[in-house]
Amino acid sequence: MSDSSAKFSQALATLRTFSDTGTPRTYEYRIEALTKLDKLISENVDRICDALAADLSKPLQESLLAEVAVVLDEVRLTKKNLRKWIKPDSVSTPLSLWPSKSRIYQDPLGVVLIIGPWNYPFHLLMLPLVGAIAAGNCAMLKPSELTVHTSKLVTELISKYFPPEYVFVAEGGIPETTDLLNLKFDHIFFTGSTAVGKVVMAAAAKNLTPVTLELGGKSPVIVNDDADLDLAARRIVWGKFYNAGQTCVAPDYLYVHKNIAAQLQTKIKQTIEDQFGVNTKDSKSFARIVNSRNFQRLTKLVDKNKVVHGGQSDERSLFIEPTLIGNAQWNDEVMRDEIFGPILPILTFESLQEIYKTINSKPKPLAAYFFSRSKARQEEFLQTLHFGGGCINDLVVHLGNPHLPFGGVGESGTGSYHGKSSFLIFSHAKSVMIRSGWFDFSLRYAPYKEKNIKLLRKYLRI
Ligand code: NAD
């Protein structure tokens, strides 16, 4: 047994012992833990943003909004609603089972494992933790090893604000995650790539551990010829180049109607300059690529002959310019896998029905976006295309509404969270019928008599 394996196994045993005491499931403990999580964040906003800047050169505004505020909002919404959410639901009972009360209790799962990625390394670890705490669980967190500063800070802060028998951080890369996946948790919540999602699901299957998989994919943005092109350009540039394109719900590629393709391309180029200046490298609003491996992967995707904007890069500073690839085709290298960087291939179309067929023939994307002024076209997009979630006339912002469950479908994920959905995903719906003995149908018991069967058939009409 490796050192980390023994350490994680011991940590899990400690978590399980505490979970079994029943303390973390009490309403008071959950509320106190959420208050502590609020403090952990509010008292350390600058340190969190500094760690993200050190890991990804993440612009301060992006850290404040998409890493800090989003988690604080979730904590506060959860605290406000928790009493209501944990109240058992009373449901009706068929007449044949009267007198009874039927209730659904939301039961904690026990000890859950949360594995995070590097692109929003604070948000994507803490947001699931809010749900795990709200549902009355103990948790083990595994931050991404690629964002070292955030991983270290999360470890320090969690151990300062929470006891290790309640929340424990297991740092490490693939070998350590493999050790963790060999242990038996009550749920695994994984955010990361589709390829690693398969590894996680296979490992979980050995223990029949349920999983939530928040994965990626190639998410399209489609712009029809009746769209507001200025709005589309502004929002596409924002959604694509936020965090330098390293966002799971960023548009991976642009499908634009051929009648307006040239016009939209010109507007997108202009908008890139408006938002990041002529020299993006000097912009304080543009993040960097997480590491050299991803830098190499991304620069190899750029076909220099097809670049219509950008294309510059600098490995030393892990900078890749916002880059547009014109006349992209499905057999181009850049269209094979999720890009996950500041490169936007542009494909054109003549018929929406044709492209819906094409997109539906590929792995289901995590998100899809559609720009059009026509209500009928919008409805057709919603009714025809399969995807996890998305927006009409905008991008990415569906994530910001905690009342919308967030997750993928098929290859882009299993299960969804945010707000009440987070609470539910970390709970088991325990269905219970509460009965009394004052009335007891004798015909349910053996020996089964002919006359009772007749009565039964009459009652059931069969
Ligand atoms: P990743 O799958 O490489 O890593 C995620 C986590 O898994 C990390 O903690 C890592 O240590 C661990 N891991 C990596 N390889 C492993 C292996 N072989 N065995 C066990 N564990 C392993 O993902 P990433 O590169 O950190 O993140 C990028 C991907 O995540 C993209 O595909 C993106 O779309 C997706 N993503 C999805 C969401 C979502 O909410 N759906 C959010 C962010 C990122």
Side-chain angles (χ1 to χ4, degrees), residues 115-120 124 142-146 172-174 177-178 181 190-197 199-200 213-217 246-249 293-294 338 340 366 406-408 412 417:
I115 303 175
W118 53 261
N119 61 334
Y120 290 85
L124 293 170
K142 211 302 283 177
S144 171
E145 70 282 18
L146 301 191
I174 298 176
T177 317
T178 308
L181 291 173
F190 171 80
T191 307
S193 60
T194 300
V196 180
V199 174
V200 171
L213 301 174
E214 299 289 338
L215 311 176
Q246 302 164 113
T247 302
C248 57
V249 286
R293 194 170 62 82
N294 274 284
E338 181 184 9
F340 219 56
L366 178 61
F406 170 70
S412 57
Y417 74 127

Side-chain angles (χ1 to χ4, degrees), residues 396-430:
V396 180
V397 294
H398 59 299
L399 233 90
N401 181 354
H403 305 292
L404 287 175
F406 170 70
V409 55
E411 293 88 331
S412 57
T414 298
S416 43
Y417 74 127
H418 287 190
K420 190 175 182 190
S421 303
S422 291
F423 166 78
L424 291 176
I425 214 152
F426 285 109
S427 303
H428 163 66
K430 192 157 81 178

